[in-house]
Amino acid sequence: MAALFGRRMRRGAASTAVAAAAMAALSASGAPSAVGEQPAASAAERPSAGASGQEDPSVTGDSPYHTDLPPLKGPGRNDPPDETPATGSAESGIPATVLDAYRKAEASLAASNPRCRVPWELLAAIGKVESGHARGGRLDTNGTTPSPILGPVLNGVGFANISDTDGGAYDGDTLHDRAVGPMQFIPQTWESWGRDGNGDGRRDPNNIYDAALAAGSYLCAHDRDLTVERDLHQAILGYNRSQEYLRTVLHWYDYYRKGAHEVPDGSQPAPGAPTGTGGKTPSPAPVRPGTPSPSPTKPGKPTKPAKPGDGSSSKPTPPPTTPPPTTPPPTTPPPTTPAPATRLVDLGDGAFSAPAGERFAERPAVRAERADKKPAAQAKVRFTLTGETGTTFEGGVTTVTVTTKADGVAKAPALLAGGKPGALTVKATLLGTTEPVTLGMRGEVTAPRADKLVRTDETELTCEAGATFEGHIALTATRDGQAAPGVAATATVLAGADPADGEKAADQGPYFLTPGDEPAEDRRTRELTLTTDAKGNLLLPELHTDDTTGTFRLRVETTGGAVVVLELKVTDPA
């Protein structure tokens, strides 16, 4: 650590002359130089998150971060000014599991969002600044920190003011939010951007694989290309809205791009207190084992050489050793693990339905409860769709896993009804239990509907008695301005020109003929059911007349209530 610029800077406060000199030296060493040099706004000047008219909080809620800078280069240093970090140097080392998580996040995002081109070195820079690579790689075998890495309480005192959004499920605080995990996500941002980076079915901000993938996904938001400097700077500032933070991350990013290597997990000392810790003095840099403790000597007084035979050894006295540093216990006790969920409760009002091709108005929802019937937060619920209707969840999937919030509620994504009417079932399964806990919710896809029906032909609707109307009556059904295919429609011949004459089918006058081999007299009907074609079109069969003259009505109505009423006139034969 001797090569480090050994001072921590309080974010939002004016930099000291020494810090300014260090920044200048870093910029001169080849770090990105397009960072604005205006000072960051102080915490007191920064708007509180969630205030009316203000933007959403950043990923970290602008919480404190570690601002150790990379080793300086230049005159008076061991490394030449233009030399990259030496392989094996302490500061270029990244714990093995942490480095693996950064690289896997880069590979995953390269496949899912190739435009973004997020480099693992950028994730490493942010991970270094936020948590010192998960406290120097202190992780279990799954990549999860043994105890949560928590930022300070975001209560507006020196930091952003963010009231609790997760019921303490992530950060153990039911009054205010705190940044959580190796990449320091605040709970409400994790709810939106949390990812499962290690494939265990969970989104855990304390897991380095999940957190690294989530951080990369956030940096890639808004269709960013991180090879473009403007997009890169906006992405980093979205993580923490501070010019000082931007400069620090860019310096580490540049440093890791010049060279980094893998070191064993837990082999590096955990970082000291982050900046902005209320004036607490950070712990001094740890001394490596075997390093002699410096002792003051008086200038100008040479060391007296040992004389032979006076009991002195010709071998130099080995330097005293200092025991390796120990990890200080967390200042905040980790939140207690709540009792697990044991049951599911259906929050719906019964069976839900939607016309084919439309979105269901109701989303399947359940509440996970513990044995004492209290809500269970952070429970995993898997929703699965079954049936032959072609219905899917939003996104085109039939299975999705949802994590309950503080109220224990898990809501499935919106359902999109398929094109085939029929019954379906949404099965909710509580994961992580020794005994299966499932709940079935019934739904139905009804016939597709139309909200508008218009006539599209110009056939004359006047005919002599005992003859056939010329041409065919054509109509088009639409829904929300789009063609409505597969919509059922009923065409009925009604007596009289006035609605007061009734809505029942007439017993004489114009009629249709149903298909078949029977005599025409046996196939007459004045009520017919049809279905629109793939373009929403409806073509009625020929209309015939008997010997009855007068004015009649033809009423065509679709599922969904779209109606057209046409007037039919039957005259005496010429």
Side-chain angles (χ1 to χ4, degrees):
M1 300 291 285
L4 282 176
F5 173 59
R7 177 180 177 86
R8 296 185 182 277
M9 297 170 289
R10 178 177 176 85
R11 176 165 49 84
S15 301
T16 64
V18 177
M23 285 296 186
L26 279 169
S27 299
S29 70
S33 60
V35 186
E37 293 301 320
Q38 64 270 28
S42 67
E45 295 167 343
R46 194 175 299 116
S48 298
S52 177
Q54 302 295 348
E55 59 186 332
D56 291 336
S58 61
V59 166
T60 63
D62 297 336
S63 61
Y65 52 88
H66 297 275
T67 55
D68 288 343
L69 297 175
L72 294 173
K73 300 172 187 287
R77 299 292 178 181
N78 294 329
D79 297 329
D82 296 327
E83 185 179 330
T84 58
T87 302
S89 65
E91 283 305 310
S92 63
I94 300 176
T97 300
V98 181
L99 181 58
D100 184 54
Y102 296 150
R103 286 174 168 163
K104 285 184 176 177
E106 177 192 55
S108 176
L109 290 164
S112 63
N113 190 354
R115 170 183 166 77
C116 179
R117 291 181 281 191
V118 58
W120 69 261
E121 293 92 343
L122 178 59
L123 298 175
I126 292 175
K128 173 69 174 179
V129 173
E130 293 295 343
S131 69
H133 299 314
R135 296 181 179 141
R138 284 158 175 78
L139 304 163
D140 63 17
T141 55
N142 295 319
T144 303
T145 59
S147 60
I149 300 176
L150 298 175
V153 178
L154 298 177
N155 57 6
V157 181
F159 314 115
N161 185 6
I162 305 178
S163 298
D164 176 60
T165 61
D166 66 329
Y170 291 116
D171 55 16
D173 193 325
T174 57
L175 294 179
H176 294 88
D177 274 348
R178 304 176 68 172
V180 181
M183 305 302 277
Q184 290 290 277
F185 276 83
I186 56 174
Q188 60 178 305
T189 310
W190 182 259
E191 278 297 312
S192 300
W193 291 98
R195 298 291 186 268
D196 178 12
N198 60 355
D200 64 355
R202 301 182 61 215
R203 298 183 306 143
D204 184 358
N206 298 299
N207 181 275
I208 186 59
Y209 289 96
D210 295 359
L213 183 58
S217 300
Y218 178 84
L219 294 171
C220 289
H222 306 298
D223 201 27
R224 293 189 182 107
D225 178 355
L226 298 185
T227 62
V228 177
E229 186 179 77
R230 176 181 174 84
D231 286 359
L232 174 65
H233 290 190
Q234 287 180 340
I236 297 172
L237 286 172
Y239 216 91
N240 191 311
R241 289 187 291 268
S242 162
Q243 290 294 327
E244 181 182 294
Y245 180 86
L246 173 62
R247 288 192 293 271
T248 305
V249 169
L250 287 175
H251 290 320
W252 276 110
Y253 174 40
D254 183 65
Y255 184 73
Y256 286 136
R257 289 173 65 192
K258 292 178 180 177
H261 67 283
E262 176 185 306
V263 297
D265 290 345
S267 62
Q268 294 179 320
T275 61
T277 52
K280 293 182 180 179
T281 304
S283 302
V287 181
R288 293 179 182 149
T291 302
S293 301
S295 58
T297 58
K298 295 182 180 180
K301 186 175 182 180
T303 304
K304 184 178 181 180
K307 296 180 180 179
D310 64 357
S312 301
S313 171
S314 60
K315 296 181 180 180
T317 303
T321 60
T322 303
T326 58
T327 303
T331 57
T332 303
T336 57
T337 303
T342 60
R343 63 194 294 261
L344 293 176
V345 178
D346 185 1
L347 299 181
D349 297 327
F352 44 91
S353 65
E358 298 188 43
R359 182 188 298 265
F360 281 75
E362 182 182 357
R363 291 167 55 186
V366 297
R367 182 174 61 250
E369 294 182 348
R370 308 194 301 251
D372 57 5
K373 297 187 178 181
K374 291 184 178 180
Q378 292 296 100
K380 303 292 182 181
V381 179
R382 183 173 60 213
F383 292 94
T384 306
L385 269 169
T386 60
E388 303 297 328
T389 63
T391 299
T392 65
F393 293 114
E394 196 167 30
V397 298
T398 56
T399 300
V400 64
T401 300
V402 178
T403 302
T404 62
K405 296 186 178 181
D407 57 3
V409 174
K411 278 190 176 183
L415 287 169
L416 303 178
K420 184 178 180 181
L424 61 89
T425 300
V426 178
K427 183 173 70 172
T429 303
L430 182 61
L431 303 179
T433 58
T434 54
E435 296 293 332
V437 178
T438 60
L439 188 66
M441 295 163 281
R442 299 185 61 184
E444 181 184 13
V445 176
T446 59
R449 67 179 182 88
D451 53 26
K452 189 174 183 180
L453 186 65
V454 296
R455 185 183 175 195
T456 56
D457 73 289
E458 297 179 356
T459 302
E460 178 66 35
L461 299 182
T462 300
C463 182
E464 295 178 356
T468 300
F469 285 83
E470 291 185 2
H472 294 267
I473 298 173
L475 305 104
T476 297
T478 59
R479 180 179 66 250
D480 299 328
Q482 303 295 321
V487 176
T490 301
T492 308
V493 177
L494 306 174
D498 192 335
D501 295 330
E503 298 296 315
K504 290 184 179 181
D507 53 8
Q508 57 185 358
Y511 61 88
F512 300 104
L513 287 177
T514 60
D517 298 328
E518 295 84 0
E521 291 290 331
D522 297 333
R523 292 187 288 115
R524 290 184 180 185
T525 182
R526 292 180 173 85
E527 189 168 31
L528 193 66
T529 300
L530 304 165
T531 302
T532 60
D533 65 13
K535 296 183 178 180
N537 296 326
L538 196 65
L539 188 65
L540 274 59
E542 289 181 325
L543 265 173
H544 307 276
T545 66
D546 56 17
D547 295 334
T548 307
T549 61
T551 301
F552 301 85
R553 287 169 293 143
L554 176 63
R555 186 176 190 271
V556 184
E557 181 177 8
T558 69
T559 303
V563 178
V564 166
V565 178
L566 306 175
E567 188 174 84
L568 306 175
K569 291 184 179 180
V570 180
T571 63
D572 292 325

